[in-house]
Amino acid sequence: MILFLAARPVTAPPVRRTSPVRPAPPVPPAPRRRARFRPFARFRPFALLRPFAPYRRIFAVPGSRAFTAANLLARLPMGMLSISAVLMIAGSRGSYALAGAVTATGLAATALAGPWTARLIDRYGQSRITVPATALATLGSLSLLLCVHYGAPDWTLFASYAATATTPNTGGMSRARWAHLFRDDPAARHTANSFEQAADELCFLLGPVLATLLCTTLFPEAGTAVGAALLLTGVLLFAAQRRTEPPPAARTATGAPARSPLRLPDLPPLLLTFLCTGAVFGSLEVVTLAYADAHGIRSAGGALLALQAAGSGAAGLLYGLLPPAARTGRRFLRCTGAMAALMLLPLLAAAAGSPATLATALLLAGMATAPTMVTGMGLVQSRTPPEQLNEGMTLAVTALLGGIAAGSAGGGWAVDHLAGAGAAYGVPAAAAALAGTVTLLTARRRRHRP
């Protein structure tokens, strides 16, 4: 059997035939379309906004647009309430001296109560303190309105306006939120601070115009009523934005609150610079209004001041596009030096006697104030502990308010005792030079500190 199998021939398996593969038919080329003439094919409107990418980046954070819009609504009355009070009291009692004394009393009360309100905000949180503090301030404004309307004694006006001192620093609270959101991103904090300074300029630009319009076209109490309503509504909306609110400050290991930022070695010299900068603002406002009155263009005084605010706001927005400085103190010294140099322009323009030249000079002079304020607020943030940030920035605002009061008094004295309002522009120039000198001496002291 084995031999039989071995002798059997081996045959190959049959070959399986398949049909030949046919090549695919060629695909005809697509017909060529004639190119259409598109003159604006490369024009992209949003490409023009690329330089403003830093601002788009900060507002891409969830909740940032909501608290910013609410804060702007609450911040607008900053430029409304004081001028509304002046117009309301002067129109009812016929005394600008009484109106100025009442507003000065409210300014002094705010300077005293503001840091304490900010300390409570740092300790217990923004939403818990701002609402009752704003409610008390709103009641003070309404009390002033009713006292003026019904002819109450003069002392009630002082007491009512002093009650508005609990108005929280809305701009400082917004900056504190940005500092909390971008605590690890200095470039974003720099852009946010620049935006906040431009927002301040916008509020001080639109606030007096809106207040004057309401008080003169409707009734004298309209400006105060609308300003108080905007303040309360804006603060309520702002306090409702809880997800962007910084946490309350923790107490020390002994259970006691931290010491005041005024005891920090580097903050008081910076506050002195803010005091001098406030003197620039206060004196420039009074002298400009006096210059317009002396040249028969009293109605254009507000427009001249608006040019200065517009130049400052535009410079603040452009300044936010720059990268943050590696040495903030050195840049602050340059900014105060530029402010001192540019504040000479209104003095020279007023000497020439041309209102048009003065308008241009005020526009250029305003371009140095916003970068100075932005850099200064950045230094306040860097030199203040995070748990006391609201108090530190409120101290800076208090120094500004004190400087504005002193500058207004100094500018008014110079208008009455110097050779015309043109020469009185030396007061803001001297205040700016003093701010630069204080910054220079502070920088040298820090450089030689062991």
Side-chain angles (χ1 to χ4, degrees):
M1 186 66 183
I2 297 175
L3 293 175
F4 174 76
L5 292 175
R8 190 175 180 180
V10 179
T11 59
V15 179
R16 190 176 182 180
R17 295 183 179 182
T18 59
S19 59
V21 179
R22 297 180 181 180
V27 180
R32 299 181 62 183
R33 295 183 180 181
R34 188 175 180 181
R36 302 168 71 180
F37 178 67
R38 298 178 180 178
F40 300 102
R42 295 186 177 182
F43 177 71
R44 299 177 180 178
F46 291 101
L48 301 176
L49 301 178
R50 287 180 180 176
F52 295 92
Y55 290 103
R56 295 204 309 268
R57 185 166 69 92
I58 64 173
F59 285 113
V61 176
S64 60
R65 299 181 184 181
F67 86 76
T68 299
N71 191 271
L72 288 176
L73 185 64
R75 206 185 311 186
L76 182 60
M78 288 193 312
M80 293 181 59
L81 291 175
S82 60
I83 191 170
S84 296
V86 170
L87 293 175
M88 178 176 62
I89 296 172
S92 176
R93 304 295 174 93
S95 173
Y96 277 96
L98 176 62
V102 171
T103 54
T105 301
L107 186 65
T110 303
L112 293 175
W116 294 100
T117 305
R119 178 174 293 187
L120 292 175
I121 291 174
D122 283 329
R123 188 179 304 175
Y124 299 106
Q126 294 182 355
S127 58
R128 292 183 60 184
I129 302 300
T130 54
V131 174
T134 305
L136 180 59
T138 304
L139 290 176
S141 296
L142 295 179
S143 175
L144 176 67
L145 186 152
L146 294 175
C147 291
V148 172
H149 183 75
Y150 289 104
D154 291 347
W155 67 266
T156 60
L157 308 184
F158 290 92
S160 298
Y161 205 66
T164 63
T166 59
T167 304
N169 180 15
T170 51
M173 291 191 298
S174 183
R175 289 178 173 91
R177 294 203 177 200
W178 289 120
H180 170 65
L181 293 174
F182 300 114
R183 52 190 175 274
D184 299 326
D185 192 345
R189 287 201 308 270
H190 169 74
T191 304
N193 287 334
S194 301
F195 171 79
E196 292 297 328
Q197 185 61 36
D200 283 343
E201 299 294 343
L202 179 64
C203 292
F204 281 111
L205 176 64
L206 298 180
V209 177
L210 180 59
T212 305
L213 183 65
L214 291 172
C215 293
T216 54
T217 58
L218 297 180
F219 48 91
E221 298 86 358
T224 301
V226 173
L230 289 176
L231 175 64
L232 183 59
T233 304
V235 168
L236 288 175
L237 294 175
F238 179 78
Q241 308 300 319
R242 295 291 187 90
R243 58 178 174 176
T244 55
E245 180 181 352
R251 290 177 174 265
T252 60
T254 60
R259 63 178 184 175
S260 172
L262 285 174
R263 298 184 180 181
L264 300 175
D266 295 329
L267 194 59
L270 187 59
L271 296 180
L272 184 58
T273 305
F274 274 94
L275 183 70
C276 299
T277 306
V280 174
F281 298 152
S283 60
L284 194 66
E285 180 178 358
V286 173
V287 174
T288 300
L289 293 177
Y291 179 90
D293 194 9
H295 286 75
I297 52 172
R298 186 176 185 180
S299 59
L304 291 175
L305 292 174
L307 283 175
Q308 189 268 339
S312 180
L317 289 176
L318 294 177
Y319 186 71
L321 302 177
L322 298 176
R327 293 186 174 183
T328 311
R330 181 173 296 182
R331 179 176 286 189
F332 187 55
L333 178 60
R334 294 174 181 174
C335 289
T336 53
M339 182 176 66
L342 290 178
M343 279 300 160
L344 293 174
L345 296 179
L347 179 62
L348 299 177
S354 173
T357 307
L358 178 63
T360 305
L362 288 174
L363 179 66
L364 295 175
M367 292 183 177
T369 56
T372 302
M373 292 297 301
V374 171
T375 312
M377 282 296 182
L379 283 174
V380 171
Q381 293 180 7
S382 63
R383 297 179 183 180
T384 306
E387 64 273 10
Q388 295 178 297
L389 192 54
N390 279 295
E391 185 178 358
M393 287 188 292
T394 303
L395 287 172
V397 173
T398 301
L400 279 173
L401 293 177
I404 290 173
S408 299
W413 181 89
V415 169
D416 292 338
H417 293 84
L418 297 181
Y425 275 104
V427 176
L434 185 59
T437 303
V438 170
T439 307
L440 178 61
L441 295 177
T442 304
R444 288 183 175 180
R445 177 185 175 186
R446 287 174 58 88
R447 191 180 307 165
H448 293 89
R449 184 182 301 173

